[in-house]
Amino acid sequence: MGYKISEIQGKYLSGELRVEDFVKSNFNKIRENDLGSYISLDEENALEIARIIDEKIANKEELGSLFGITFAVKDNISTKDLRTTCASKMLENYIPIFDASVIERLKAEDAIILGKANMDEFAMGSSSETSYFGPTKNPIDKSLIPGGSSSGSAAAVAGDEAIVALGTDTGGSVRQPAAYCNIVGYYPSYGLISRYGVVAMGNTFDQVGLLANSVEDIVKVLNVVGGYDEKDPNSHEGQVDYKLGAYSFIGKKIAIVKDIESFNIDKVVLDDYYRALEDLKNLGAELVEVEIDHLKYANMIYTVLVSAEVSSNLSRFDGIRFGYHDSNYSSTQEMYIASRSGGFGDEVKRRIALGTLLLSSNNDQVRYKRGLKGRKLLRDEMERVLNDFDFFISPTSTKLPNKLGERKDDPLSVYDSGTFNVLANISSLPAISLPIREGISGSIQIISKRFEDEKLLDAAYAFERRQR
Amino acid sequence: MITREEIIKIYGLANLHIADEDIDEVREKFSTIMDYADILKEIDKDENEILELVTDKNVELREDLIKPSVKRSDALKNSAMTEYGYFKLERVVE
């Protein structure tokens, strides 16, 4: 059922397991599974750190809270001296000169980074099929997609190739692959985890998210990577030191989606969702169907605003200071065009162009401004709902994972990251995806008020420990 | 429907190349999205405010103080070509 932090650390301390042996077993598993979950491995360095921690344990020295815990890190999070490609030819040879703040914090607590996880190119996609390095397979059924864009992060955790993973989530990119690989995926309140050193896609939507086999492990890692960072201008003041075990669903009012069957949901996903609702009722919750009036606009608000942010954020790639460079040019603009066109994949180029179209001034950015109005309306509506209810609950994804290579070419579905997922990103609200049963199946998503992450995680913990 | 000329102009603004044979496909895709985006007209009322970013504080400009930055060798590390401690290009053009 996957690795857990407390179990592995218990084995380290009792002498039953050496950190070096566990790290070796992770690398063996990566090779044996052959899921394509990692783009780059940092084997030598990881084993060296493992030996240092083994020595600390032997000498009874002070240990960091994540000692010997193995991590897969999505390849759009900057790691010093370890190649960071964003799954793009553009950054195929890019080696960062600094660690993202989240990486600094993990290292300071004796965590071990095994390598960089595969993803959709520049986090644009939901299947890993846009990765320049080839797709990732779903560890539960290798013929299926693992979801995305944090594809390798989810596959690595579900496939026992790491204990925990860092992903990023702009419109469901942590929660949807977590659901497809049947693990826990968490998107924090905007500002709770530092974005410093994370390659921006839609910067007002992007957050580092966490993927693990249990809520408890999510909280252990969040207590390390969360909290104020002066290097991130949108970072929320205050430290994160969450505890679990206090939340009870008894007597709590929870909002659920009204007319769920009108959302074109796979039968299996719907049945699992109903199962989860029964469980919540058995836990003592009162479920109330709530209509979100602006939900029907969510996907378009998301598509419009994120495309615009993408076109702006990806304008920094010019092929001069870093990144793919094409030397075949005879003017400055030709140099930019040659380098960018050669370095970016088709999907990335299309999204940059779409964003450029939305931001071009000949229509006074009318569609972009409408998107911003929609964002305000939806955000206000979600705030009102969450003033009346503890949580808003829905299925995480409306679909089960499809077969690898069956990617639809429908221009709208490409941008459809999941109506229920984008709700959280548009409104800057925290959300968590939880498995309901074993195997390929539906998951539920719980959304809470902004900065009520501790309550959200504690409720998720209570749900996870429910008696069936 | 978006015109071929518009697609060419947009790709130029984005500093991206588009092959002639791909233009029609992109036109179609973008037009579908633009049509669908018209659903947002329903909420485009003057009294509705915009929201760019949910933030709990005003981001202030820091003081403009000179302080050490990255080492020159680090800054040049990921460049395709360097010379005498500077970025280098194959040729200088207009």
Side-chain angles (χ1 to χ4, degrees):
Chain A
M1 254 304 287
Y3 298 125
K4 297 227 168 62
I5 292 178
S6 59
E7 282 169 22
I8 297 293
Q9 288 186 335
K11 286 183 183 175
Y12 289 156
L13 291 176
S14 71
E16 192 186 322
L17 182 66
R18 289 175 66 247
V19 181
E20 186 182 356
D21 290 338
F22 181 69
V23 170
K24 273 185 188 161
S25 78
N26 280 196
F27 282 114
N28 288 339
K29 196 83 185 170
I30 293 167
R31 281 184 275 269
E32 186 189 310
N33 283 349
D34 195 24
L35 298 169
S37 19
Y38 289 86
I39 291 173
S40 309
L41 295 175
D42 198 19
E43 194 158 357
E44 228 171 90
N45 193 34
L47 287 168
E48 178 59 31
I49 295 165
R51 284 189 285 271
I52 293 168
I53 298 168
D54 274 328
E55 220 170 280
K56 280 192 186 182
I57 294 171
N59 298 332
K60 299 195 175 0
E61 285 174 52
E62 190 184 339
L63 295 162
S65 68
L66 297 174
F67 71 94
I69 299 307
T70 52
F71 278 79
V73 174
K74 191 174 180 179
D75 212 17
N76 59 351
I77 299 174
S78 185
T79 44
K80 188 170 191 289
D81 299 332
L82 179 58
R83 186 169 76 134
T84 298
T85 68
C86 291
S88 180
K89 183 181 176 188
M90 177 59 85
L91 294 176
E92 190 179 2
N93 301 309
Y94 173 67
I95 298 177
I97 57 170
F98 71 104
D99 275 328
S101 293
V102 288
I103 299 299
E104 255 180 21
R105 290 180 185 192
L106 288 183
K107 287 180 176 173
E109 292 296 331
D110 291 332
I112 300 173
I113 290 158
L114 301 179
K116 304 303 292 291
N118 204 354
M119 56 186 279
D120 285 285
E121 185 180 0
F122 281 100
M124 294 173 206
S126 47
S127 69
S128 78
E129 287 164 301
T130 66
S131 169
Y132 175 64
F133 301 91
T136 303
K137 300 179 188 113
N138 190 315
I140 305 172
D141 176 345
K142 285 190 180 184
S143 72
L144 303 177
I145 59 164
S149 63
S150 307
S151 322
S153 302
V157 171
D160 287 345
E161 299 177 359
I163 303 175
V164 192
L166 301 186
T168 61
D169 190 321
T170 305
S173 278
V174 159
R175 290 158 285 158
Q176 183 253 25
Y180 281 8
C181 295
N182 220 23
I183 57 171
V184 184
Y186 162 67
Y187 172 77
S189 290
Y190 188 84
L192 196 71
I193 299 181
S194 169
R195 283 192 307 115
Y196 179 75
V198 179
V199 179
M201 174 191 170
N203 52 287
T204 73
F205 297 76
D206 300 338
Q207 280 287 281
V208 171
L210 308 175
L211 303 99
N213 289 302
S214 70
V215 176
E216 192 181 322
D217 285 1
I218 298 266
V219 171
K220 280 188 175 147
V221 176
L222 180 61
N223 283 345
V224 171
V225 299
Y228 181 67
D229 177 23
E230 61 172 11
K231 290 176 180 163
D232 176 353
N234 299 118
S235 182
H236 178 60
E237 304 277 346
Q239 298 307 304
V240 174
D241 184 20
Y242 293 166
K243 307 271 189 292
L244 293 174
Y247 191 84
S248 162
F249 279 101
I250 296 171
K252 300 289 163 49
K253 278 172 69 181
I254 289 170
I256 57 169
V257 191
K258 195 175 176 192
D259 293 332
I260 188 73
E261 301 196 8
S262 67
F263 284 86
N264 189 21
I265 298 176
D266 283 357
K267 171 121 186 13
V268 174
V269 175
L270 197 59
D271 288 346
D272 286 331
Y273 174 64
Y274 288 141
R275 242 176 234 138
L277 295 187
E278 268 318 300
D279 290 346
L280 286 163
K281 277 190 228 162
N282 291 337
L283 287 166
E286 184 195 335
L287 307 180
V288 182
E289 284 200 347
V290 173
E291 176 139 32
I292 308 287
D293 294 334
H294 298 96
L295 187 59
K296 63 177 171 183
Y297 304 112
N299 270 327
M300 218 55 233
I301 294 168
Y302 175 81
T303 300
V304 166
L305 297 182
V306 171
S307 303
E309 291 188 14
V310 159
S311 87
S312 159
N313 282 317
L314 272 70
S315 63
R316 76 192 57 179
F317 296 95
D318 58 12
I320 298 177
R321 294 149 302 146
F322 58 87
Y324 177 80
H325 175 75
D326 189 322
S327 51
N328 190 15
Y329 61 88
S330 56
S331 73
T332 314
Q333 199 192 13
E334 259 183 48
M335 180 186 64
Y336 294 144
I337 290 177
S339 296
R340 286 164 63 80
S341 302
F344 291 134
D346 288 343
E347 182 60 29
V348 172
K349 279 186 265 195
R350 257 200 305 274
R351 290 206 196 188
I352 294 172
L354 178 65
T356 308
L357 174 63
L358 289 159
L359 286 175
S360 65
S361 58
N362 60 0
N363 60 0
D364 192 32
Q365 304 184 334
V366 63
R367 289 188 175 89
Y368 176 66
K369 285 174 183 165
R370 279 181 201 144
L372 294 175
K373 286 181 177 178
R375 185 173 204 180
K376 171 85 170 128
L377 289 168
L378 190 54
R379 152 91 192 160
D380 288 353
E381 188 177 6
M382 286 303 289
E383 207 158 54
R384 283 196 299 277
V385 169
L386 290 165
N387 279 333
D388 295 336
F389 297 92
D390 259 25
F391 303 111
F392 178 78
I393 291 185
S394 68
T396 302
S397 173
T398 52
K399 306 281 175 210
L400 290 179
N402 53 272
K403 295 264 180 212
L404 264 166
E406 265 183 6
R407 192 152 65 100
K408 282 173 258 148
D409 212 24
D410 169 5
L412 294 174
S413 79
V414 170
Y415 296 92
D416 181 359
S417 285
T419 306
F420 302 125
N421 297 155
V422 298
L423 260 186
N425 308 69
I426 291 169
S427 311
S428 308
L429 301 171
I432 193 163
S433 174
L434 297 168
I436 297 164
R437 62 178 173 90
E438 303 268 300
I440 294 292
S441 52
S443 287
I444 57 162
Q445 173 182 263
I446 314 179
I447 297 181
S448 82
K449 253 186 161 167
R450 188 157 183 238
F451 297 129
E452 288 194 351
D453 296 63
E454 186 171 22
K455 188 172 92 173
L456 171 73
L457 290 158
D458 205 11
Y461 183 64
F463 179 79
E464 189 182 64
R465 287 152 62 97
R466 72 198 182 282
Q467 301 291 325
R468 302 294 312 274
Chain B
M1 184 97 166
I2 300 163
T3 63
R4 285 178 67 89
E5 290 66 37
E6 276 177 291
I7 295 292
I8 292 165
K9 186 180 158 215
I10 289 298
Y11 270 73
L13 283 173
N15 285 321
L16 291 169
H17 171 73
I18 182 160
D20 204 47
E21 63 267 27
D22 293 337
I23 295 175
D24 283 332
E25 191 195 331
V26 171
R27 263 179 85 197
E28 221 162 281
K29 282 191 172 172
F30 284 9
S31 296
T32 308
I33 293 165
M34 289 300 146
D35 289 348
Y36 189 49
D38 281 345
I39 188 181
L40 297 177
K41 274 184 188 167
E42 296 168 18
I43 50 167
D44 194 3
K45 297 179 184 130
D46 287 342
E47 67 268 27
N48 288 344
E49 293 167 37
I50 64 163
L51 174 66
E52 284 175 295
L53 170 70
V54 176
T55 182
D56 39 334
K57 59 186 172 197
N58 291 321
V59 177
E60 286 169 21
L61 292 175
R62 63 174 164 78
E63 263 188 272
D64 189 14
L65 299 173
I66 295 172
K67 56 180 184 178
S69 183
V70 295
K71 283 192 298 189
R72 181 179 285 236
S73 56
D74 278 348
L76 295 169
K77 202 173 144 188
N78 280 289
S79 177
M81 275 188 294
T82 62
E83 189 178 68
Y84 307 122
Y86 292 95
F87 294 105
K88 184 178 186 285
L89 292 172
E90 292 84 356
R91 52 193 167 277
V92 176
V93 288
E94 285 296 312

